Amino acid sequence: MNNGFLTVMGFTIRNKFRSKSFLITSAVLVLLVIVGSNMPYIISKFQSDKPSEIGMVAGDVATRLGQFYEAQGKEKAEVIVRQYPDQGSAAANETAMKERISSGEIKGYLELGAVDAASGFPKVAYKSKATIDFGFTNKLQSGLQYVKNQDAAKDLPAATLQKLMAPVTIDSVQISTTDGGAGSVGKDGKTAREVQLATGMVYILVIVLFMGVMITGQLIATEITAEKSSRVMEVLITSVSPLKQMFGKIVGMLIVGLSQILLIAGVALINLTLPHNIDTLKNLDINLGDIDPLLIVFAVVFYLLGYFLYSTLYAAVGSIVSRTEDLGQAVMPLTLFSLAGFYLAIFGLTTPNATYVVVSSFIPFFSPFLMFMRIGLTDPAWWEVALSLAILCGTIFGLGWLSAKIYRTGVLMYGKRPTLKELRKAMKAYKV
């Protein structure tokens, strides 16, 4: 019995590894991973660490704004304020500033207008030739806010003013309110940095799960339908039973998919550990060693369960379609289910405790995405994780049995797609 299964599995693996489409796709994905892993370093080579220089008409506001940025130190200073003499009129000042921008002397300039009655500070406009950079505008705003606060508190003692200007720091910690939660084993809580790292990890793994389910599922259905349309299935049936064919293809494609994922993960890890990328990760305060190993375990578990849930259904649908032209329409419901689970998880990253996320994490078609996301970002109780896994495993067993009956019947039915009545009648003749 096992010989037929292993034969089909080995044939599926060898056939995919030798196919040009698989090799080209893998090469393209590896190239994209290499470029993506080194993108921060590549971008840094085209960016200048030199502070942006802006112009202002000489005056008290310009002087204090320049002092604000100088206080950041030469290495951390983001802006340098260049003061220029007043030309006598707003039009003349504007003309002079435009000439300096054209010559590359400054990036842009700040223009002070009339004093605003509500704030007691002049209205400010930043003018530049470049596209509006809201990040840079915020940097200017923080400096001007400091100058305005100085004006508002100029009668206060220096010590009081220093306390008033000092920012309030908040250390965010995600705590557990359940005993033995799945997301905080042996921990008192997650810091903001750990939550950010977990969010990035969950985001990447949800995409990997979705792509794995979509690509391998489509490949399984396409291969089965192609064998039917070319009448190769009739030859295969005489040597290997339908059930061995189905599960042999499913397990074979699983190994192919995992091999591709491991290849991509290995390439990404090698590139991220290069010296220039390690420095970039340190600057971003990212330590790959802070990834919770339990999160990796759950990622593997939910990937495998999600794969078997969808792949058995893709195999069943592929078996009842006789032409590859009709396959896209036939698998559309499965595609929509996987898309729904993916988008629910992506949108749920910002609200992992939302009711729709919690409820959907127990729905088998969505739980591989959403329960894994909850484990990574929140702290669901162990019974919730166990219940979700139990429902998912039970659904896989039930749908696997049903898919096996559909597959065994569908591979021998040619012509138009059978109706539910015809399919049910034919399935009664077989036992699985």
Side-chain angles (χ1 to χ4, degrees):
M1 180 178 179
N2 291 331
N3 290 336
F5 168 80
L6 295 176
T7 300
V8 174
M9 183 183 72
F11 173 78
T12 302
I13 295 172
R14 289 193 301 272
N15 187 41
K16 286 301 173 187
F17 282 159
R18 292 173 182 173
S19 66
K20 291 183 179 180
S21 60
F22 176 80
L23 295 176
I24 293 174
T25 302
S26 298
V28 171
L29 290 174
V30 167
L31 181 61
L32 290 174
V33 169
I34 292 174
V35 174
S37 301
N38 293 278
M39 188 57 68
Y41 175 75
I42 295 172
I43 293 175
S44 67
K45 288 300 180 181
F46 292 94
Q47 289 181 336
S48 176
D49 294 332
K50 184 180 178 181
S52 299
E53 299 186 18
I54 64 169
M56 285 189 73
V57 174
D60 179 60
V61 173
T63 300
R64 287 186 290 149
L65 183 62
Q67 292 173 348
F68 170 79
Y69 293 114
E70 289 174 2
Q72 296 176 346
K74 292 183 178 180
E75 294 183 357
K76 295 183 178 180
E78 300 172 327
V79 181
I80 294 177
V81 179
R82 300 294 184 194
Q83 297 190 54
Y84 298 98
D86 191 349
Q87 301 298 314
S89 67
N93 287 329
E94 184 174 7
T95 300
M97 290 296 183
K98 286 181 178 179
E99 291 176 355
R100 295 179 183 112
I101 293 175
S102 299
S103 65
E105 185 177 344
I106 56 176
K107 177 181 179 180
Y109 66 95
L110 285 174
E111 183 179 78
L112 301 181
V115 176
D116 181 59
S119 64
F121 194 76
K123 294 180 179 180
V124 184
Y126 174 66
K127 298 183 179 181
S128 172
K129 184 179 178 181
T131 303
I132 297 176
D133 184 349
F134 293 102
F136 183 71
T137 304
N138 290 335
K139 295 175 184 177
L140 296 178
Q141 189 175 20
S142 63
L144 291 167
Q145 183 69 38
Y146 176 85
V147 174
K148 186 182 81 70
N149 289 345
Q150 277 189 325
D151 289 340
K154 60 184 177 181
D155 295 330
L156 296 175
T160 304
L161 180 61
Q162 184 177 4
K163 291 180 180 180
L164 184 64
M165 296 295 185
V168 176
T169 58
I170 301 177
D171 293 328
S172 299
V173 179
Q174 184 184 35
I175 63 172
S176 172
T177 58
T178 59
D179 294 330
S184 59
V185 178
K187 295 183 178 180
D188 295 329
K190 296 178 182 177
T191 63
R193 186 167 61 86
E194 290 174 335
V195 171
Q196 291 173 352
L197 184 61
T199 301
M201 187 70 179
V202 168
Y203 181 79
I204 293 172
L205 292 178
V206 165
I207 293 177
V208 170
L209 173 58
F210 173 71
M211 295 300 294
V213 167
M214 284 286 292
I215 295 175
T216 54
Q218 289 278 0
L219 287 176
I220 291 171
T222 302
E223 187 169 329
I224 294 171
T225 303
E227 290 174 354
K228 279 192 65 178
S229 62
S230 63
R231 297 285 178 168
V232 174
M233 185 64 71
E234 296 177 359
V235 179
L236 295 175
I237 291 295
T238 61
S239 56
V240 183
S241 69
L243 295 184
K244 292 178 183 177
Q245 288 184 43
M246 172 179 161
F247 289 107
K249 290 180 184 296
I250 289 173
V251 176
M253 287 304 303
L254 172 64
I255 295 174
V256 171
L258 288 176
S259 299
Q260 197 171 46
I261 291 173
L262 290 175
L263 172 64
I264 293 172
V267 171
L269 185 61
I270 291 173
N271 280 271
L272 289 175
T273 53
L274 293 176
H276 59 269
N277 284 330
I278 289 179
D279 294 336
T280 302
L281 292 176
K282 286 181 179 179
N283 293 333
L284 295 174
D285 198 20
I286 296 176
N287 183 8
L288 298 179
D290 290 338
I291 298 175
D292 189 353
L294 191 61
L295 186 61
I296 304 298
V297 173
F298 278 116
V300 174
V301 170
F302 279 106
Y303 178 86
L304 294 176
L305 294 178
Y307 171 81
F308 280 111
L309 174 68
Y310 280 97
S311 62
T312 53
L313 293 175
Y314 271 106
V317 172
S319 69
I320 63 176
V321 179
S322 299
R323 300 189 310 166
T324 53
E325 294 86 352
D326 299 330
L327 184 60
Q329 183 180 359
V331 299
M332 182 63 70
L334 297 179
T335 303
L336 293 177
F337 272 119
S338 58
L339 276 171
F342 172 73
Y343 281 115
L344 284 172
I346 294 300
F347 291 133
L349 287 173
T350 54
T351 55
N353 288 315
T355 303
Y356 78 91
V357 174
V358 175
V359 173
S360 299
S361 66
F362 296 101
I363 299 175
F365 291 101
F366 305 147
S367 58
F369 303 97
L370 293 169
M371 182 52 76
F372 170 67
M373 185 265 289
R374 288 184 62 201
I375 292 172
L377 303 184
T378 63
D379 192 43
W382 274 106
W383 69 264
E384 293 183 274
V385 179
L387 178 60
S388 179
L389 288 172
I391 295 173
L392 182 56
C393 290
T395 304
I396 291 173
F397 179 82
L399 292 179
W401 173 84
L402 178 62
S403 297
K405 296 201 72 171
I406 295 174
Y407 186 92
R408 187 168 185 174
T409 304
V411 291
L412 296 175
M413 300 181 72
Y414 289 88
K416 67 175 184 178
R417 272 188 289 167
T419 64
L420 291 176
K421 184 178 180 180
E422 293 172 344
L423 193 60
R424 185 170 61 252
K425 184 178 179 180
M427 287 168 56
K428 290 181 180 179
Y430 299 101
K431 293 183 179 179
V432 178

